[in-house]
Amino acid sequence: MKIRKNKIKQSFKDGKTTIGIWNGIPHGYAVEICAGAGFEWVLIDGEHSPYEFTTILQSIQSASSFDTEIVVRPAIGDRVMIKRLLDIGVQTLLVPMVESAEQAQYLVDSMRYPPHGNRGVGSGLARAAQWNRVENYLTQADDEMCLIVQIETVKGLKHIEEICQVEGVDGVFLGPADLAASMGYLGQSMHPDVISEVVRGISIARDSGKVPGVIAFDKEVAKTYKEAGARFIGVGIDLLMLAKATSTIVSEYQFLK
């Protein structure tokens, strides 16, 4: 059995722009619906949604029949948590609140086996290795891992150039919502000053050879970010889409009361 190739990492190498959707509904049905829509990737959000390891696993399995890559955002960039996610088959992580090169290096090391890192070896128990059925998994796994660090504070943006110098960081994702709060614009992710800083961060990542990413729900703002160099772009959140759609239906059918 051969190791599964990481299509996101390949798209990074090929210079392609991809779009994806945030998944916050912790159920395989939701992920299956999103994966079947045609997005290049679905991000399972373990930071702000009530996802647990078992539900993450179930959702990954639900998406396995589609040509859509799964990205997982863990609640925190913790070495033990990362090890468990990689072992159940996650190959691409988007880690929140990265603010220094030291933190980025810690994450790189956590995703690689020795001697290049310190990922714990447990392939006999790992779905990722198909319980040692994947030939040479231990020597090939590092090449298929993709690390995207999320910069979403003023402090993180201050150190973005050093973060981008860390070998093993594949992408740099700008988080407008938290960045806006950090800048004093809580709830104003589309404030001109915030957009300007996101564009600046995207440009720095691009010029440093890292793949820039961002989330944007407004088409014009998304276009601005794309023109600045963003190539990994989140364009929706399943929870918000469901909330908006259901509220709209209630409003439209008030005439029946």
Side-chain angles (χ1 to χ4, degrees):
M1 186 178 296
K2 295 183 179 180
I3 194 168
R4 186 172 64 85
K5 296 299 182 180
N6 189 332
K7 296 185 183 69
I8 290 179
K9 190 153 188 171
Q10 189 59 51
S11 73
F12 283 7
K13 293 176 181 178
D14 294 342
K16 295 180 179 178
T17 298
T18 62
I19 61 170
I21 186 171
W22 241 247
N23 159 238
I25 301 174
H27 197 283
Y29 258 33
V31 174
E32 190 170 358
I33 290 169
C34 291
F39 293 103
E40 280 93 356
W41 50 270
V42 175
L43 184 139
I44 294 175
D45 195 335
E47 182 187 17
H48 289 294
S49 74
Y51 259 112
E52 301 294 343
F53 276 97
T54 51
T55 46
I56 290 175
L57 171 59
Q58 291 162 3
S59 290
I60 292 171
Q61 292 170 323
S62 295
S64 62
S65 61
F66 296 95
D67 192 33
T68 300
E69 285 290 310
I70 292 294
V71 183
V72 173
R73 178 163 72 169
I76 187 173
D78 172 77
R79 182 164 291 157
V80 174
M81 183 176 290
I82 288 173
K83 172 177 62 179
R84 295 186 68 192
L85 289 170
L86 300 189
D87 281 352
I88 64 172
V90 179
Q91 291 182 313
T92 303
L93 293 179
L94 189 152
V95 182
M97 293 293 176
V98 176
E99 297 183 322
S100 70
E102 291 76 17
Q103 187 181 0
Q105 186 63 59
Y106 170 90
L107 298 172
V108 170
D109 293 344
S110 299
M111 293 184 70
R112 294 179 171 183
Y113 283 124
H116 306 295
N118 47 43
R119 176 184 173 186
V121 181
S123 56
L125 295 168
R127 175 179 177 268
Q130 285 295 293
W131 307 279
N132 281 338
R133 292 171 181 162
V134 173
E135 185 178 357
N136 299 319
Y137 176 80
L138 294 176
T139 57
Q140 298 182 74
D142 288 358
D143 291 338
E144 301 305 325
M145 297 302 156
C146 183
L147 172 62
I148 305 169
V149 297
Q150 187 166 6
I151 294 179
E152 46 191 337
T153 63
V154 170
K155 180 179 178 181
L157 201 54
K158 178 181 178 181
H159 297 292
I160 187 171
E161 292 183 357
E162 302 100 277
I163 292 170
C164 286
Q165 296 306 310
V166 176
E167 182 182 354
V169 170
D170 298 288
V172 175
F173 193 92
L174 281 297
D178 277 294
L179 180 59
S182 180
M183 292 173 61
Y185 298 115
L186 181 63
Q188 302 179 63
S189 60
M190 290 178 59
H191 189 285
D193 291 348
V194 176
I195 292 175
S196 177
E197 284 298 276
V198 171
V199 167
R200 185 172 71 86
I202 289 172
S203 300
I204 292 172
R206 177 200 64 204
D207 293 344
S208 299
K210 305 299 184 184
V211 174
V214 70
I215 191 165
F217 305 139
D218 180 89
K219 291 181 181 179
E220 289 304 314
V221 173
K223 183 179 178 182
T224 296
Y225 293 153
K226 167 67 187 305
E227 291 174 348
R231 287 175 33 213
F232 182 83
I233 306 171
V235 295
I237 299 177
D238 59 1
L239 282 163
L240 288 180
M241 293 163 65
L242 180 60
K244 182 178 180 180
T246 50
S247 294
T248 298
I249 289 174
V250 170
S251 175
E252 290 179 350
Y253 283 87
Q254 286 298 308
F255 73 91
L256 292 177
K257 291 185 177 182

